[in-house]
Every structure is written in C-alpha cells, then in structure tokens.
Amino acid sequence: MPLVEQVMAGWQQDTGPNTSSEDVAAAVWRAVTDMSAPAYLPAGADAITWLQTA
C-alpha cells in the first residue's frame, strides 16, 4: 500500500507534458491515412519527450 500511495502522489504532483485524447486520435488518424507515417508514432507531448530521451 505505501508503494501505491507513493506512486499516486507522484502522478498528482507531475507538472510535465501530458497526452490528450485528441493527441491520440490525431496519431491514429495519421497512422491510418498517411502512408509515409513511421511504424512508431508518438502521440502527445509526453510521448515525444520520452522518445527524445530514450
């Protein structure tokens, strides 16, 4: 339980970029309609940040 509380508290304090449902919808639409879209398509600011640091 303490671990779960710690994780939840960390999520609540997170002020970094987030992904919205619109970001996901746009990425899915691009994947379906753009033949030149990459196989891995980040959806949202947090995914783009993660991809750049990974």
Side-chain angles (χ1 to χ4, degrees):
M1 189 68 173
L3 177 60
V4 172
E5 290 173 346
Q6 182 181 6
V7 170
M8 296 301 287
W11 284 344
Q12 291 172 342
Q13 295 172 5
D14 184 15
T15 59
N18 293 313
T19 296
S20 68
S21 57
E22 290 85 7
D23 295 329
V24 174
V28 170
W29 182 255
R30 181 175 176 209
V32 171
T33 61
D34 183 354
M35 296 299 285
S36 65
Y40 181 80
L41 191 61
D46 57 341
I48 293 168
T49 300
W50 178 85
L51 181 63
Q52 292 170 344
T53 60

Coordinates of all heavy atoms in Angstrom, one line a residue:
M1 N 0.8 -1.2 0.0 CA 0.0 0.0 0.0 C 0.9 1.3 0.0 O 0.5 2.2 -0.7 CB -1.0 -0.1 1.2 CG -2.0 1.0 1.2 SD -3.1 0.8 -0.2 CE -4.3 2.0 0.1
P2 N 1.9 1.4 0.8 CA 2.7 2.6 0.8 C 3.3 2.8 -0.6 O 3.4 4.0 -1.0 CB 3.8 2.3 1.8 CG 3.3 1.3 2.7 CD 2.4 0.4 1.9
L3 N 3.7 1.8 -1.3 CA 4.2 2.0 -2.7 C 3.2 2.6 -3.6 O 3.5 3.5 -4.4 CB 4.7 0.7 -3.3 CG 5.3 0.7 -4.7 CD1 6.4 1.7 -4.8 CD2 5.6 -0.6 -5.2
V4 N 2.0 2.1 -3.5 CA 0.9 2.6 -4.4 C 0.6 4.1 -4.0 O 0.4 4.9 -4.9 CB -0.4 1.8 -4.2 CG1 -1.6 2.4 -4.9 CG2 -0.2 0.4 -4.7
E5 N 0.6 4.4 -2.7 CA 0.4 5.8 -2.3 C 1.5 6.7 -2.8 O 1.2 7.8 -3.3 CB 0.3 5.9 -0.8 CG -1.0 5.2 -0.3 CD -1.0 5.2 1.3 OE1 0.0 5.4 1.9 OE2 -2.1 4.9 1.8
Q6 N 2.7 6.2 -2.8 CA 3.8 7.0 -3.3 C 3.7 7.2 -4.8 O 4.0 8.4 -5.3 CB 5.1 6.3 -3.0 CG 6.4 7.0 -3.4 CD 7.7 6.2 -3.1 OE1 7.6 5.1 -2.6 NE2 8.8 6.9 -3.3
V7 N 3.4 6.2 -5.5 CA 3.2 6.4 -7.0 C 2.1 7.3 -7.3 O 2.2 8.2 -8.2 CB 3.0 5.0 -7.7 CG1 2.6 5.1 -9.1 CG2 4.2 4.1 -7.5
M8 N 1.0 7.2 -6.7 CA -0.2 8.1 -6.9 C 0.2 9.5 -6.6 O -0.2 10.4 -7.3 CB -1.4 7.6 -6.1 CG -1.9 6.2 -6.5 SD -2.4 6.1 -8.2 CE -3.9 7.1 -8.1
A9 N 0.9 9.7 -5.5 CA 1.3 11.1 -5.1 C 2.2 11.7 -6.1 O 2.1 12.9 -6.5 CB 2.0 11.1 -3.7
G10 N 3.1 10.9 -6.7 CA 4.0 11.3 -7.7 C 3.2 11.7 -9.0 O 3.6 12.8 -9.6
W11 N 2.2 11.0 -9.3 CA 1.4 11.3 -10.5 C 0.7 12.6 -10.3 O 0.5 13.4 -11.2 CB 0.4 10.2 -10.8 CG 1.1 9.0 -11.5 CD1 2.3 8.9 -12.1 CD2 0.5 7.7 -11.6 NE1 2.5 7.7 -12.6 CE2 1.4 6.9 -12.3 CE3 -0.7 7.1 -11.2 CZ2 1.2 5.6 -12.6 CZ3 -0.9 5.8 -11.5 CH2 0.0 5.1 -12.2
Q12 N 0.2 12.8 -9.1 CA -0.6 14.0 -8.8 C 0.3 15.3 -8.8 O -0.2 16.4 -9.2 CB -1.3 13.9 -7.5 CG -2.4 12.9 -7.5 CD -3.0 12.6 -6.1 OE1 -2.4 12.9 -5.1 NE2 -4.2 12.0 -6.0
Q13 N 1.5 15.1 -8.5 CA 2.5 16.2 -8.5 C 3.1 16.5 -9.8 O 3.8 17.5 -10.0 CB 3.5 16.0 -7.4 CG 2.9 16.0 -6.0 CD 4.0 15.6 -5.0 OE1 5.1 15.4 -5.3 NE2 3.5 15.4 -3.7
D14 N 3.0 15.6 -10.8 CA 3.6 15.7 -12.1 C 3.1 16.9 -12.8 O 1.9 17.1 -13.0 CB 3.3 14.5 -12.9 CG 4.1 14.5 -14.2 OD1 5.0 15.3 -14.4 OD2 3.7 13.7 -15.1
T15 N 4.0 17.8 -13.2 CA 3.7 19.0 -14.0 C 4.2 19.0 -15.4 O 4.2 20.0 -16.1 CB 4.2 20.3 -13.3 OG1 5.6 20.2 -13.2 CG2 3.6 20.4 -11.9
G16 N 4.7 17.8 -15.8 CA 5.3 17.7 -17.1 C 4.2 17.6 -18.2 O 3.0 17.7 -17.9
P17 N 4.6 17.5 -19.4 CA 3.7 17.4 -20.5 C 2.8 16.2 -20.5 O 3.1 15.2 -19.9 CB 4.6 17.4 -21.8 CG 5.9 16.8 -21.3 CD 6.0 17.3 -19.9
N18 N 1.6 16.3 -21.0 CA 0.6 15.2 -21.0 C 0.1 15.0 -22.4 O 0.2 15.8 -23.3 CB -0.6 15.6 -20.1 CG -0.2 15.7 -18.6 OD1 0.5 14.8 -18.1 ND2 -0.6 16.8 -18.0
T19 N -0.5 13.8 -22.5 CA -1.2 13.4 -23.8 C -2.7 13.5 -23.6 O -3.2 13.0 -22.7 CB -0.8 12.0 -24.2 OG1 0.6 12.0 -24.4 CG2 -1.5 11.6 -25.5
S20 N -3.3 14.2 -24.6 CA -4.8 14.3 -24.6 C -5.4 13.2 -25.5 O -4.7 12.7 -26.3 CB -5.2 15.7 -25.0 OG -4.9 15.9 -26.4
S21 N -6.7 13.0 -25.4 CA -7.3 12.1 -26.3 C -7.3 12.6 -27.7 O -7.2 11.8 -28.7 CB -8.8 11.9 -25.9 OG -9.5 13.1 -25.8
E22 N -7.2 13.9 -27.9 CA -7.1 14.5 -29.3 C -5.7 14.1 -29.9 O -5.6 13.9 -31.1 CB -7.3 16.0 -29.2 CG -8.7 16.4 -28.9 CD -9.0 16.5 -27.5 OE1 -8.1 16.3 -26.6 OE2 -10.2 16.7 -27.1
D23 N -4.7 14.1 -29.0 CA -3.3 13.7 -29.5 C -3.3 12.3 -30.0 O -2.8 12.0 -31.0 CB -2.3 13.9 -28.4 CG -2.1 15.3 -27.9 OD1 -2.2 16.2 -28.7 OD2 -1.8 15.5 -26.7
V24 N -4.0 11.4 -29.2 CA -4.0 10.0 -29.6 C -4.8 9.9 -30.9 O -4.4 9.1 -31.8 CB -4.6 9.2 -28.5 CG1 -4.8 7.7 -28.9 CG2 -3.7 9.2 -27.2
A25 N -6.0 10.5 -31.0 CA -6.8 10.4 -32.2 C -6.0 10.9 -33.4 O -6.1 10.3 -34.5 CB -8.1 11.2 -32.0
A26 N -5.3 12.0 -33.3 CA -4.5 12.5 -34.4 C -3.4 11.6 -34.8 O -3.2 11.4 -36.0 CB -3.9 13.9 -34.0
A27 N -2.8 10.9 -33.9 CA -1.7 10.0 -34.2 C -2.3 8.7 -34.9 O -1.8 8.2 -35.9 CB -1.0 9.5 -32.9
V28 N -3.5 8.3 -34.4 CA -4.1 7.1 -35.0 C -4.6 7.5 -36.4 O -4.3 6.7 -37.4 CB -5.3 6.6 -34.2 CG1 -6.2 5.6 -34.9 CG2 -4.8 6.1 -32.9
W29 N -5.2 8.7 -36.6 CA -5.6 9.1 -37.9 C -4.4 9.2 -38.9 O -4.5 8.7 -40.0 CB -6.3 10.5 -37.8 CG -6.8 10.9 -39.2 CD1 -6.3 11.9 -40.0 CD2 -8.0 10.4 -39.9 NE1 -7.0 12.0 -41.1 CE2 -8.0 11.1 -41.1 CE3 -8.9 9.4 -39.6 CZ2 -9.1 10.9 -42.0 CZ3 -9.9 9.2 -40.5 CH2 -10.0 9.9 -41.7
R30 N -3.3 9.7 -38.4 CA -2.1 9.8 -39.3 C -1.6 8.4 -39.6 O -1.2 8.1 -40.8 CB -1.0 10.6 -38.6 CG 0.2 10.7 -39.5 CD 1.3 11.5 -38.9 NE 2.5 11.5 -39.8 CZ 3.7 11.6 -39.4 NH1 4.0 11.9 -38.1 NH2 4.7 11.5 -40.3
A31 N -1.6 7.5 -38.7 CA -1.1 6.1 -38.9 C -2.0 5.4 -40.0 O -1.5 4.6 -40.8 CB -1.1 5.3 -37.6
V32 N -3.3 5.7 -40.0 CA -4.2 5.1 -40.9 C -4.2 5.7 -42.3 O -4.3 5.0 -43.3 CB -5.6 5.1 -40.3 CG1 -6.6 4.6 -41.3 CG2 -5.6 4.2 -39.0
T33 N -4.0 7.0 -42.3 CA -4.2 7.7 -43.6 C -2.9 8.2 -44.3 O -2.9 8.5 -45.4 CB -5.1 9.0 -43.4 OG1 -4.4 9.9 -42.5 CG2 -6.4 8.6 -42.9
D34 N -1.8 8.2 -43.6 CA -0.5 8.7 -44.1 C 0.4 7.5 -44.4 O 1.0 6.9 -43.4 CB 0.1 9.7 -43.2 CG 1.4 10.3 -43.7 OD1 1.9 9.9 -44.8 OD2 2.0 11.2 -43.0
M35 N 0.6 7.2 -45.6 CA 1.4 6.0 -46.0 C 2.9 6.2 -45.6 O 3.6 5.3 -45.4 CB 1.3 5.7 -47.5 CG -0.1 5.3 -47.9 SD -0.6 3.8 -47.1 CE 0.4 2.6 -48.0
S36 N 3.3 7.5 -45.4 CA 4.7 7.7 -45.0 C 4.9 7.8 -43.5 O 6.0 8.1 -43.0 CB 5.2 9.0 -45.7 OG 4.5 10.1 -45.2
A37 N 3.8 7.6 -42.7 CA 3.9 7.7 -41.3 C 4.9 6.6 -40.8 O 4.9 5.4 -41.3 CB 2.6 7.5 -40.6
P38 N 5.7 6.9 -39.8 CA 6.6 5.9 -39.2 C 5.8 4.8 -38.5 O 4.7 4.9 -38.1 CB 7.5 6.7 -38.3 CG 6.7 7.8 -37.9 CD 5.8 8.2 -39.1
A39 N 6.5 3.6 -38.3 CA 5.9 2.5 -37.6 C 5.6 2.8 -36.2 O 4.6 2.4 -35.6 CB 6.7 1.3 -37.7
Y40 N 6.5 3.6 -35.6 CA 6.3 4.1 -34.2 C 6.0 5.5 -34.2 O 6.8 6.4 -34.7 CB 7.6 3.8 -33.4 CG 7.4 4.3 -31.9 CD1 6.7 3.5 -31.0 CD2 7.9 5.5 -31.5 CE1 6.5 3.9 -29.7 CE2 7.7 5.9 -30.2 CZ 7.0 5.1 -29.3 OH 6.8 5.5 -28.0
L41 N 4.8 5.9 -33.8 CA 4.3 7.3 -33.9 C 3.9 7.7 -32.5 O 2.9 7.3 -32.0 CB 3.1 7.3 -34.8 CG 2.6 8.6 -35.3 CD1 3.6 9.4 -36.1 CD2 1.4 8.4 -36.2
P42 N 4.7 8.6 -31.9 CA 4.4 9.1 -30.6 C 3.1 10.0 -30.6 O 2.9 10.7 -31.5 CB 5.6 9.9 -30.1 CG 6.3 10.3 -31.4 CD 6.0 9.2 -32.4
A43 N 2.3 9.8 -29.6 CA 1.1 10.6 -29.5 C 1.1 11.5 -28.3 O 1.0 11.0 -27.2 CB -0.1 9.6 -29.4
G44 N 1.3 12.8 -28.5 CA 1.3 13.7 -27.4 C 2.7 14.2 -26.9 O 3.7 13.5 -27.2
A45 N 2.7 15.3 -26.2 CA 3.9 15.9 -25.8 C 4.8 15.0 -24.9 O 6.0 15.0 -25.0 CB 3.6 17.2 -25.1
D46 N 4.1 14.3 -24.0 CA 4.9 13.4 -23.1 C 5.6 12.3 -23.8 O 6.7 11.9 -23.6 CB 4.1 12.9 -21.9 CG 2.9 12.1 -22.3 OD1 2.4 12.3 -23.5 OD2 2.3 11.4 -21.5
A47 N 4.9 11.7 -24.8 CA 5.5 10.6 -25.6 C 6.6 11.2 -26.5 O 7.6 10.5 -26.6 CB 4.4 10.0 -26.5
I48 N 6.5 12.3 -27.0 CA 7.6 12.9 -27.8 C 8.8 13.2 -26.9 O 9.9 12.9 -27.3 CB 7.1 14.2 -28.5 CG1 6.1 13.9 -29.5 CG2 8.3 15.0 -29.1 CD1 5.3 15.1 -30.1
T49 N 8.6 13.7 -25.7 CA 9.7 13.9 -24.7 C 10.3 12.6 -24.4 O 11.6 12.5 -24.4 CB 9.1 14.6 -23.5 OG1 8.5 15.9 -23.8 CG2 10.2 14.8 -22.5
W50 N 9.5 11.6 -24.1 CA 10.1 10.3 -23.7 C 10.9 9.7 -24.9 O 12.0 9.2 -24.7 CB 9.0 9.3 -23.4 CG 9.5 8.0 -23.1 CD1 10.0 7.5 -21.9 CD2 9.6 6.9 -24.0 NE1 10.4 6.2 -22.0 CE2 10.2 5.8 -23.2 CE3 9.3 6.7 -25.3 CZ2 10.4 4.6 -23.8 CZ3 9.6 5.5 -25.9 CH2 10.1 4.4 -25.1
L51 N 10.4 9.9 -26.1 CA 11.1 9.3 -27.3 C 12.4 10.0 -27.5 O 13.4 9.4 -27.8 CB 10.2 9.5 -28.5 CG 10.8 9.0 -29.8 CD1 11.0 7.5 -29.8 CD2 9.9 9.3 -31.0
Q52 N 12.5 11.3 -27.2 CA 13.7 12.1 -27.4 C 14.8 11.7 -26.4 O 16.0 11.8 -26.6 CB 13.5 13.6 -27.4 CG 12.7 14.1 -28.5 CD 12.2 15.5 -28.4 OE1 12.2 16.1 -27.3 NE2 11.8 16.1 -29.5
T53 N 14.3 11.3 -25.2 CA 15.3 10.9 -24.1 C 15.6 9.5 -24.1 O 16.6 9.1 -23.4 CB 14.8 11.4 -22.7 OG1 13.5 10.7 -22.5 CG2 14.6 12.9 -22.7
A54 N 14.9 8.7 -24.8 CA 15.1 7.2 -24.7 C 16.2 6.8 -25.6 O 16.7 7.4 -26.5 CB 13.8 6.5 -25.2

